[in-house]
């Protein structure tokens, strides 16, 4: 099977869309794990969407579990799915299993703020100041260039 392509632009064919997502490396699959924020959080943090994490409270807006809310219990990066507490389905043998849900089908109602770096402002590296050379060093360089 061919590896993921950096130069691939787009295709209308669903099979090529699915293949592109299937072959994505893990660091890029994480970008597909983003979900929209509710209106209050959108105003407060001035961002539209953010990556879902374990502990976030979400509301499902699509599918048979529409309007149900719960806490994210597990984030499956490989399959681009999230598992929410209280959202289960019954298997044929009668046992219950967690329902996998795509992150685009939920809205984040409350963020898990235990990680301080999640909303910390990124610090810019100090701009490199040009080194000030001593007068003797600049005179030596001038002589070197004059001799050539």
């Amino acid at each position: 099977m061919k590896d993921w392509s950096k130069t691939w632009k787009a295709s209308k064919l669903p099979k090529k869309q699915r293949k592109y997502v299937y072959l994505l490396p893990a660091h890029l699959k994480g970008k597909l794990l983003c979900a929209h924020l509710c209106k209050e959080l959108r105003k407060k943090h001035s961002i539209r969407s953010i990556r879902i994490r374990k502990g976030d409270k979400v509301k499902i807006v699509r599918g048979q579990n529409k309007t149900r809310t719960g806490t994210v219990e597990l984030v499956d990066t490989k399959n681009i799915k999230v598992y929410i507490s209280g959202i289960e389905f019954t298997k044929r043998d009668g046992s219950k299993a967690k329902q996998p849900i795509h992150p685009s089908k939920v809205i984040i109602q409350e963020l898990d703020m235990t990680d301080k770096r999640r909303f910390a402002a990124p610090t810019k590296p100090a701009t490199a100041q040009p080194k000030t050379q001593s007068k003797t060093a600049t005179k030596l360089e001038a002589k070197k260039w004059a001799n050539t």
Side-chain angles (χ1 to χ4, degrees):
M1 184 177 264
K2 191 177 175 190
D3 289 339
W4 176 74
S5 171
K6 289 182 181 179
T7 59
W8 186 78
K9 294 293 181 196
S11 175
K12 290 181 181 179
L13 296 176
K15 75 176 191 175
K16 288 189 180 183
Q17 294 281 334
R18 286 190 289 269
K19 179 183 175 187
Y20 182 78
V21 171
Y22 176 77
L23 294 175
L24 271 177
H27 71 284
L28 294 176
K29 270 193 182 183
K31 292 183 179 183
L32 298 177
L33 285 165
C34 292
H36 287 286
L37 297 172
C38 66
K39 290 181 181 179
E40 299 85 39
L41 290 175
R42 202 179 289 183
K43 283 183 182 178
K44 180 180 176 184
H45 297 290
S46 66
I47 54 173
R48 186 176 185 89
S49 66
I50 193 168
R51 184 174 169 160
I52 290 187
R53 284 196 182 181
K54 180 180 173 180
D56 290 344
K57 288 191 173 66
V58 296
K59 177 182 178 184
I60 301 172
V61 292
R62 295 283 184 272
Q64 66 187 28
N65 294 310
K66 188 194 288 192
T67 69
R68 292 182 63 187
T69 60
T71 306
V72 176
E73 289 183 347
L74 178 75
V75 178
D76 185 2
T77 309
K78 183 180 177 189
N79 297 319
I80 312 169
K81 301 287 182 186
V82 293
Y83 295 88
I84 301 168
S85 62
I87 309 298
E88 297 177 332
F89 69 98
T90 308
K91 297 187 346 184
R92 283 193 172 184
D93 63 356
S95 62
K96 299 265 185 183
K98 297 272 183 218
Q99 175 88 36
I101 298 173
H102 195 272
S104 66
K105 309 303 180 202
V106 300
I107 291 180
I108 299 174
Q109 299 289 317
E110 189 179 318
L111 292 164
D112 179 32
M113 300 299 277
T114 55
D115 185 7
K116 300 297 179 196
R117 294 185 301 170
R118 193 172 188 187
F119 282 102
T123 56
K124 293 183 180 179
T127 55
Q129 297 290 333
K131 294 182 180 179
T132 56
Q133 294 180 343
S134 64
K135 290 182 181 179
T136 55
T138 54
K139 286 180 182 178
L140 288 173
E141 284 181 14
K143 284 183 183 178
K144 189 167 90 174
W145 286 106
N147 291 339
T148 56

